[in-house]
Amino acid sequence: MSTQPLPLYGVTVVAVEQAVAAPFATRQLADLGARVVKIERPDGGDFARGYDTAARGLASHFVWCNRGKESVAVDLKDPRGLEVVRRLVAGADVFVQNLAQGAAARLGLDAATLCAAHPRLVAVDISGYGADGPYAHKRAYDMLVQCEAGLVSVTGTPGEPVKAGIPAADIAAGMYAFSGVLAALLRRATTGRGGPVEISMLDSLAEWMGHPLHHGMHGGGTPARTGLAHAVIAPYDAYATADGERVLLSVQNDREWRRLAEQVLERPGLAGDPDFATNTARTANRERTDAVVAGALAALSGEEALARLDAAGIACARLNTVADVAAHPQLAARDRWRDVTTPVGELRALMPPITLPGGAPTPMGAVPALGEHTDATLRALGMTDGQTAALRRDGVIVDAALSGGPDRS
């Protein structure tokens, strides 16, 4: 069977991006074969490069979101640097930016301006709260948007709201930007025109709040914070086992409850007990329901509990740590890990979730050093060595290969 090219092979993306939302979106495009040119500030680049040094000296956020890209370090405040970006955009298919609200418009790099000049261009503006409205100019970081979108209000325990342990607002915005780009490219294939795409972190995460919103708006009240439990399903929680593990299980319907009672709890009488026979009854009697399940699992090891639950056809899982996920047997069995080149050597990374059978292998390209591709990119634009030398001398550009080696900040 012949190998098909990656879906976005031949598509060029220019991104003036930082932090997580836009870089996460454009990394998905790179994983599908697009050429992604990442524009960074000469004085340190994407500030996510400095979040931590956990990935053998590199920032873990940056390694995660920026493989497979070319880094061009250019000062957009200098007219010569801005002209470089405009020339890159003129030859691009997609432009993505998530600068502070209003900054892109002041530079003429907002989606509306660029699409007016380049009708085939797909241009994406990613912001915290959107281009208008009373929140348009508020600073928007992931935790803040998690709070504004109500996610924190339904996450945690009855006594303590908590934010999600991952940047949920950034990821939501990044994934909607990614799908928006794909939709706009498909439309361009049939109409010949690109156009602006607007994504806000608040809009994206508010959409993910669909169940609590509909539950609360239409008469159900605000769902309670229930820790690992489910607000309207029981039993649905984590339970300790005899060897100190915590096993999660979820009973989705009353047929499953009967199987749980008979085959796992070994108390068949509970299957028809009116206090437990229906989900409504089990939820109303949540403490008793949880006590029954907890007592049965406390007498079993984690392996025994999982084996018994699996045999009964009850959905279950371990409460894994990050280290457990890195060693997860399912990821290993499906060969989901690859080594990615970085300025500090090879680092292990997961393949993207989108699998295209019969397609070319996922590129899993290198994580770039700051300005690693500046010189080559400017040469491709037709600039002479003298012109690039002048820009470098004036601090308008940085090229890692000519300025002390790869960035390791």
Side-chain angles (χ1 to χ4, degrees):
M1 183 175 65
S2 61
T3 299
Q4 299 180 12
L6 287 164
L8 298 185
Y9 178 78
V11 171
T12 296
V13 180
V14 176
V16 179
E17 59 179 20
Q18 55 197 0
V20 175
F24 187 64
T26 58
R27 199 216 76 192
Q28 314 306 314
L29 301 173
D31 285 341
L32 291 180
R35 177 196 178 204
V36 178
V37 182
K38 180 182 180 75
I39 307 300
E40 301 191 67
R41 296 165 49 132
D43 57 342
D46 180 342
F47 55 73
R49 287 183 180 271
Y51 278 172
D52 60 55
T53 57
R56 285 174 39 194
L58 300 178
S60 48
H61 278 86
F62 192 85
V63 170
W64 167 44
C65 291
N66 290 284
R67 67 166 181 252
K69 302 180 185 180
E70 301 173 18
S71 173
V72 174
V74 57
D75 185 0
L76 296 181
K77 295 179 181 179
D78 188 294
R80 295 168 294 175
L82 185 57
E83 179 58 25
V84 167
V85 174
R86 286 177 174 156
R87 290 175 63 179
L88 286 170
V89 170
D93 300 283
V94 178
F95 177 77
V96 180
Q97 68 84 18
N98 69 330
L99 297 175
Q101 186 66 31
R106 289 192 295 272
L107 295 169
L109 296 178
D110 58 291
T113 298
L114 292 178
C115 289
H118 308 288
R120 286 183 55 80
L121 181 71
V122 173
V124 184
D125 290 337
I126 301 176
S127 65
Y129 297 107
D132 52 14
Y135 278 49
H137 291 278
K138 283 181 69 72
R139 287 185 177 272
Y141 300 128
D142 179 82
M143 182 185 70
L144 308 180
V145 178
Q146 285 194 37
C147 290
E148 290 285 353
L151 177 59
V152 173
S153 76
V154 297
T155 305
T157 66
E160 185 66 26
V162 299
K163 70 177 181 67
I166 59 173
D170 283 321
I171 295 171
M175 290 309 294
Y176 283 118
F178 169 51
S179 57
V181 166
L182 298 183
L185 287 173
L186 181 61
R187 180 182 61 190
R188 190 183 75 169
T190 58
T191 68
R193 298 184 68 86
V197 175
E198 182 187 2
I199 304 291
S200 96
M201 293 166 65
L202 179 63
D203 292 348
S204 300
L205 199 56
E207 165 64 20
W208 284 16
M209 287 289 291
H211 162 251
L213 278 172
H214 284 281
H215 191 277
M217 290 188 301
H218 304 308
T222 302
R225 291 190 302 274
T226 53
L228 288 172
H230 195 287
V232 296
I233 301 173
Y236 193 135
D237 208 334
Y239 304 91
T241 59
D243 54 357
E245 283 203 52
R246 296 185 75 189
V247 170
L248 290 95
L249 66 88
S250 170
V251 169
Q252 292 286 305
N253 54 60
D254 299 334
R255 295 186 306 278
E256 291 183 2
W257 169 253
R258 289 194 290 273
R259 295 202 303 273
L260 181 76
E262 294 165 358
Q263 301 176 42
V264 179
L265 307 182
E266 297 182 335
R267 295 182 61 180
L270 293 176
D273 188 321
D275 286 346
F276 301 99
T278 66
N279 182 64
T280 300
R282 291 190 299 275
T283 303
N285 295 294
R286 183 185 297 275
E287 289 188 9
R288 291 174 62 198
T289 302
D290 283 338
V292 167
V293 176
L297 267 59
L300 305 172
S301 70
E303 289 292 342
E304 290 170 337
L306 290 166
R308 194 177 288 191
L309 289 162
D310 281 333
I314 305 299
C316 57
R318 283 185 170 87
L319 183 57
N320 280 336
T321 65
V322 171
D324 293 331
V325 177
H328 202 292
Q330 183 69 5
L331 295 175
R334 286 173 45 78
D335 193 26
R336 301 304 299 171
W337 296 99
R338 294 291 183 274
D339 287 333
V340 172
T341 301
T342 80
V344 296
E346 300 291 305
L347 292 176
R348 190 165 169 246
L350 277 170
M351 293 181 67
I354 297 174
T355 300
L356 300 170
T362 300
M364 300 293 286
V367 177
L370 175 60
E372 182 176 343
H373 305 88
T374 305
D375 226 43
T377 300
L378 297 190
R379 282 198 300 270
L381 289 176
M383 288 193 176
T384 66
D385 290 345
Q387 289 173 315
T388 57
L391 293 176
R392 190 177 301 107
R393 181 193 64 228
D394 295 342
V396 180
I397 64 169
V398 167
D399 188 290
L402 300 174
S403 60
D407 171 70
R408 297 173 188 268
S409 61

